[in-house]
Amino acid sequence: MVNLSLVDASILCCAVLAHLYYRYKAKASLPYPPGPKPLPLIGNLLDIPKVRFRGFEVFAEWSKVYSSDILYLGVLGKNIVVLNSVDVANELCGERSATYSTRPHLTMLSDLMNATRFMAVMPYGDPWRARRKMFQHYFPLNDPTRIAISRSEEFIRKHLLPSLLDTPKDFLSHIRNTAGGVTLSLAYGLRIRRYDDPWIKLAEMTLHTTTQAAVVGRYLVDIIPALKYMPEWMPGAGFLKTAKEGRRIVNSFFDDLYAAAVQEIADGVAQPSFVSLALEENDETEIPDLKEVIRETAGIFFAGGSETTVVAVWNFVLLMTLHPDIQEKARKEVDMVVGHDRLPRFSDKPSMPYLTAVLKEVFRWSPIVPAGMPHCTTVDDIYRGYFIPKGSIVINNAWAMLHDENVFPNPDRFDPDRYLTASGQLRHDILDPETTATFGFGRRACPGSQIALTTMFVAAASFLSSFKILKPLNAKGEEIDPLVHYSGQTMVDNPAPFDCRFVPRSKEAVALIQAEILSLDESL
């Protein structure tokens, strides 16, 4: 009996070894996805587009060159896979999310800046699940809550519109301050100043620092992690100084904002917020690291909602400036639904299909995060006969997906009508940028997308109801098109500062805004 067991065990071991050998051999013989031909030793290091060259557009062009919507680059032992279609992104990051849901370990971002405190950067695992679960408990996915809607409407009516009336030339900073105010209020219950708020500045600095570091290929230390041990005085070690400052900013963002919120709760002056509700309703015996989970989950609001909202609203303003005919058509719809004796509300959205189509086209024409947040494979995978190694950095190229001429004919043209039927109703047979590609894929899709979409709609409808967005004037008083330029310096692709004119539509519109000013305190 013993001998038989030993024989069986030996046969089993041989079978397992044979299976593993042939599996490895089969994978080793499979090709990588198509891509540029690598050079010895350095691979495709020289092929990675520089940030300023908008790599997502280069990757999209490569799909035509190599006749493939999945591409591969190998760089000094690192594997990079680029997904250029919605179908392949859904199949891999959606249907195979167990394999594709973690984040690549970017040395600059994770080790040197400590940015894994952001849920968007955190590896897939129990700590990430705890924070995602807590966020979705208070702000369910695809369901804007009443508090999110009311805060968005309040900030736009009492903050953004009055500021535009006072200093319209500063519209870019007013939009940023309002979007930041909405998310900071929802997360921490903190009130902000109408101008130059220090919390907004801290959050803005944090997002700028981390989104720069999240661009794959920006820092050589992400390709050669051992560089992090360089002495700061050595030539080429300037990134270490950047990293040290980034770490200070990230820690200040999480710790100082949370401490201020807790102090206001203790003083009895706090507005209802995620932090106040989570501290009140959760038990530390059930969640041992409760305060740290709450502290880091609160950071999701600004990281996931504010910057996307800012860039989306900036893009809306720019495109309305460039397309006055589309602006006027959307304004007529707003007037028909809202009239002239009140400001728009989020509840008006179902009655505004044309404006809804305009906003979808804003997201499509200029994706906020065109190359997406990178994913990473946790095991080897085979797809369409291609070998995708464990640890591959996976880039979901949202720009390529939303500019696919097979899905969106004449993709460079700004055309809201592509989302509408002949009778002017929203189509349901076309890819929707608000739910696909713009906010990510699978389990790592942005959990705060509804906050951004809510604020975006209320801001856009309010602009159209209260102002005309006009082209800037030259020295002769003639209208000229604003300069359209996207810097591509961070993973969030915001337009460079541009000029336009916010002109009140009528005395009635001014009176509505001034009525809100009467109820406005020094801060919100």
Side-chain angles (χ1 to χ4, degrees):
M1 196 68 181
V2 173
N3 290 336
L4 184 60
S5 297
L6 290 173
V7 170
D8 289 344
S10 299
I11 293 173
L12 179 62
C13 287
C14 290
V16 169
L17 290 173
H19 170 74
L20 292 175
Y21 170 76
Y22 284 109
R23 183 177 175 218
Y24 172 79
K25 186 176 180 181
K27 285 184 175 180
S29 65
L30 290 173
Y32 293 123
K37 185 177 180 180
L39 294 173
L41 299 178
I42 64 173
N44 297 112
L45 178 63
L46 302 181
D47 296 308
I48 295 180
K50 299 297 182 184
V51 174
R52 65 180 180 275
F53 294 136
R54 295 167 66 85
F56 46 86
E57 291 185 3
V58 177
F59 293 149
E61 189 62 30
W62 284 355
S63 272
K64 299 176 183 177
V65 173
Y66 299 103
S67 301
S68 176
D69 56 358
I70 177 171
L71 304 166
Y72 172 83
L73 298 95
V75 182
L76 300 175
K78 299 282 186 179
N79 303 292
I80 301 173
V81 177
V82 181
L83 311 182
N84 275 345
S85 77
V86 170
D87 288 343
V88 67
N90 278 332
E91 285 188 61
L92 297 184
C93 296
E95 296 174 16
R96 304 189 190 186
S97 58
T99 298
Y100 289 82
S101 287
T102 198
R103 295 296 191 202
H105 186 87
L106 299 178
T107 303
M108 184 69 165
L109 192 67
S110 302
D111 293 350
L112 299 180
M113 289 189 177
N114 197 29
T116 48
R117 299 185 73 178
F118 283 108
M119 195 180 82
V121 180
M122 193 174 289
Y124 186 72
D126 289 340
W128 178 86
R129 291 188 191 93
R131 287 151 181 79
R132 175 89 173 194
K133 181 179 179 181
M134 181 172 285
F135 183 93
Q136 291 186 343
H137 175 73
Y138 295 99
F139 294 87
L141 197 63
N142 299 324
D143 180 22
T145 60
R146 282 181 293 178
I147 188 172
I149 294 170
S150 64
R151 291 285 169 86
S152 295
E153 292 177 345
E154 178 185 19
F155 270 83
I156 288 164
R157 291 175 179 178
K158 299 180 180 297
H159 184 92
L160 179 55
L161 297 181
S163 296
L164 287 172
L165 197 61
D166 291 344
T167 53
K169 288 186 177 181
D170 297 328
F171 68 94
L172 292 173
S173 61
H174 295 330
I175 291 169
R176 179 175 290 284
N177 217 46
T178 298
V182 171
T183 52
L184 289 180
S185 174
L186 288 170
Y188 302 99
L190 298 173
R191 294 165 175 81
I192 67 164
R193 300 174 187 171
R194 284 186 64 190
Y195 303 104
D196 299 323
D197 182 79
W199 293 128
I200 299 294
K201 287 185 176 180
L202 171 61
E204 179 183 341
M205 196 185 317
T206 305
L207 262 294
H208 178 75
T209 300
T210 53
T211 53
Q212 275 196 322
V215 177
V216 176
R218 175 182 285 275
Y219 293 103
L220 189 59
V221 70
D222 290 329
I223 306 298
I224 310 175
L227 292 177
K228 68 182 180 180
Y229 299 112
M230 290 176 64
E232 290 188 30
W233 51 264
M234 283 189 66
F239 70 92
L240 291 174
K241 182 178 180 181
T242 302
K244 181 184 289 186
E245 177 63 9
R247 190 180 190 91
R248 183 194 67 77
I249 291 169
V250 168
N251 288 337
S252 178
F253 172 77
F254 281 100
D255 300 337
D256 296 354
L257 278 165
Y258 179 79
V262 170
Q263 186 62 53
E264 288 207 352
I265 293 169
D267 294 341
V269 296
Q271 298 182 105
S273 67
F274 164 77
V275 169
S276 66
L277 292 174
L279 286 173
E280 179 182 342
E281 297 177 6
N282 289 281
D283 188 344
E284 196 157 1
T285 60
E286 296 180 7
I287 307 177
D289 55 345
L290 174 64
K291 292 181 180 178
E292 190 62 21
V293 171
I294 294 173
R295 188 196 320 261
E296 293 184 354
T297 305
I300 297 169
F301 286 80
F302 197 89
S306 177
E307 193 68 11
T308 53
T309 307
V310 169
V311 175
V313 177
W314 283 2
N315 282 332
F316 172 79
V317 173
L318 175 60
L319 288 162
M320 291 303 94
T321 306
L322 292 170
H323 300 279
D325 54 332
I326 293 175
Q327 178 185 166
E328 189 57 33
K329 187 174 179 179
R331 178 177 291 109
K332 287 179 179 178
E333 182 182 66
V334 172
D335 288 347
M336 183 177 65
V337 174
V338 176
H340 301 283
D341 58 354
R342 68 174 177 88
L343 292 169
R345 295 186 288 263
F346 183 74
S347 58
D348 295 319
K349 186 175 182 178
S351 302
M352 297 183 187
Y354 187 75
L355 178 56
T356 301
V358 169
L359 299 182
K360 291 180 188 296
E361 184 69 343
V362 169
F363 283 111
R364 186 205 67 80
W365 189 82
S366 182
I368 300 166
V369 188
M373 279 289 289
H375 292 229
C376 184
T377 55
T378 52
V379 296
D380 290 342
D381 195 20
I382 298 173
Y383 179 68
R384 295 182 185 172
Y386 297 127
F387 177 46
I388 300 176
K390 174 184 177 181
S392 295
I393 297 172
V394 180
I395 297 173
N396 287 300
N397 190 353
W399 193 93
M401 299 172 195
L402 297 174
H403 283 74
D404 184 347
E405 58 192 17
N406 296 314
V407 180
F408 300 104
N410 198 1
D412 293 334
R413 180 185 177 192
F414 184 75
D415 181 14
D417 287 332
R418 67 176 82 241
Y419 299 100
L420 299 169
T421 65
S423 62
Q425 298 305 305
L426 288 171
R427 291 174 56 184
H428 300 290
D429 61 344
I430 186 171
L431 190 149
D432 185 351
E434 291 185 352
T435 58
T436 306
T438 297
F439 294 101
F441 290 88
R443 299 175 187 177
R444 301 307 294 247
C446 175
S449 60
Q450 285 303 317
I451 298 173
L453 292 171
T454 299
T455 306
M456 171 74 163
F457 175 82
V458 178
S462 298
F463 290 163
L464 296 172
S465 178
S466 303
F467 295 93
K468 287 186 177 182
I469 305 172
L470 304 177
K471 295 181 180 182
L473 303 176
N474 62 16
K476 298 179 181 179
E478 302 166 333
E479 284 194 341
I480 56 173
D481 286 342
L483 180 65
V484 180
H485 174 66
Y486 287 81
S487 63
Q489 291 302 301
T490 70
M491 61 179 298
V492 177
D493 197 32
N494 56 286
F498 60 93
D499 292 327
C500 75
R501 293 178 293 142
F502 274 82
V503 178
R505 290 183 61 194
S506 64
K507 293 180 180 179
E508 290 78 12
V510 172
L512 281 175
I513 297 173
Q514 289 176 335
E516 297 292 343
I517 296 176
L518 293 175
S519 61
L520 181 66
D521 296 328
E522 176 63 24
S523 60
L524 284 172

